[in-house]
Amino acid sequence: MNNIKLVCIGLLALNMGCSHSDKRAVDRKDSTDREQATTALKETGIPKIGDLQLVVPGRQMGKISIGQDMEEVFKLLGKPDDGDAAMGKAWSIWKLKNGESGSGNGEMAIYSTYKDSAMSSKVVKQVMVNTGGYATKNGLQNNADLGHIIQGLPSLKQVSMYVDDAKKDTLYVYDSKEEGLSFDVKKANDQYFTRAMTIHPKNESVSNTYLTIHPGWRKVQ
């Protein structure tokens, strides 16, 4: 009888240990999400005018500008690491290294179209980055609390929503059509944080593209 009791106690302790282990794993993930989501100004700072990470809404993302010839872009960034193209439109994607992004690795995606009906050259229409280091003069950037961003850009409004059914995740797109700046937003620990930022021509919607930059996500709004 004593042996049976010892076995039962051992199994109970093992189950409790597994439960605590699972909880610790979840807690570690939550902690990592929280740390990644609150880097904001403390780690990246606000770039000075002329810095390669300066963002000017409706105009430029670092050294890439709206309307810039794509041949110039290729000379600056090299061959894209990935992309998609159709009907004369294209997304070109570059993997950013630490020195280029300013804070951690990420991607820069550039949406381009033909400059005119001659279809002899393509120009930049949108630029997206999903890493820290890039910021406007007043500190609008990735990995920042959405409330802080809206305070600095009151014209920012939610314009669309995407879901990843497999991961049970949701992505919100907030755009300031007037200023030419948008953010991809996700929820972490009951707070909403910016995960990617996109510049586009002023008075044009960020959704004004033929190809989506959110493959794998299903648009529901």
Side-chain angles (χ1 to χ4, degrees):
M1 177 67 69
N2 289 335
N3 289 338
I4 294 176
K5 287 183 178 179
L6 288 174
V7 170
C8 290
I9 292 172
L11 291 173
L12 177 61
L14 179 60
N15 287 336
M16 290 179 65
C18 291
S19 176
H20 288 313
S21 176
D22 291 342
K23 184 178 185 302
R24 284 196 297 270
V26 172
D27 289 344
R28 282 196 299 270
K29 183 179 185 304
D30 287 344
S31 177
T32 299
D33 288 344
R34 182 165 56 252
E35 290 174 3
Q36 291 177 345
T38 56
T39 55
L41 302 179
K42 182 173 65 175
E43 294 187 4
T44 62
I46 300 177
K48 298 177 181 178
I49 295 176
D51 280 358
L52 294 180
Q53 282 79 42
L54 176 66
V55 177
V56 181
R59 288 179 52 193
Q60 73 179 70
M61 181 81 73
K63 53 190 175 183
I64 308 300
S65 301
I66 299 296
Q68 189 171 5
D69 191 288
M70 284 301 294
E71 290 302 319
E72 296 179 8
V73 173
F74 295 139
K75 290 178 182 179
L76 288 170
L77 302 179
K79 182 180 178 181
D81 298 296
D82 200 354
D84 189 17
M87 303 295 289
K89 282 81 171 175
W91 276 107
S92 302
I93 302 172
W94 287 263
K95 303 289 185 182
L96 296 176
K97 303 176 180 63
N98 285 324
E100 296 172 318
S101 63
S103 176
N105 295 327
E107 295 178 338
M108 173 177 284
I110 298 178
Y111 181 72
S112 61
T113 66
Y114 282 118
K115 181 179 180 179
D116 50 38
S117 59
M119 296 189 292
S120 59
S121 62
K122 289 186 176 182
V123 295
V124 176
K125 296 293 288 185
Q126 294 188 11
V127 187
M128 183 279 291
V129 292
N130 61 2
T131 183
Y134 290 85
T136 64
K137 288 195 295 184
N138 62 334
L140 305 181
Q141 60 187 293
N142 291 325
N143 304 318
D145 178 78
L146 177 61
H148 166 76
I149 297 297
I150 292 178
Q151 286 180 357
L153 189 62
S155 58
L156 203 64
K157 299 291 188 298
Q158 182 183 329
V159 295
S160 56
M161 180 172 68
Y162 297 81
V163 295
D164 185 324
D165 296 315
K167 297 181 180 178
K168 300 185 183 305
D169 203 359
T170 304
L171 177 73
Y172 306 89
V173 178
Y174 280 72
D175 184 30
S176 172
K177 181 178 178 180
E178 299 88 340
E179 298 298 325
L181 182 63
S182 77
F183 289 91
D184 288 359
V185 175
K186 295 182 73 175
K187 187 178 182 180
N189 300 310
D190 297 322
Q191 288 182 281
Y192 292 88
F193 293 90
T194 55
R195 297 305 196 189
M197 62 193 308
T198 302
I199 61 165
H200 58 85
K202 291 184 178 182
N203 299 314
E204 288 187 16
S205 171
V206 69
S207 302
N208 189 24
T209 60
Y210 180 78
L211 300 169
T212 180
I213 191 59
H214 301 107
W217 293 83
R218 178 170 59 88
K219 188 175 182 179
V220 295
Q221 178 183 327

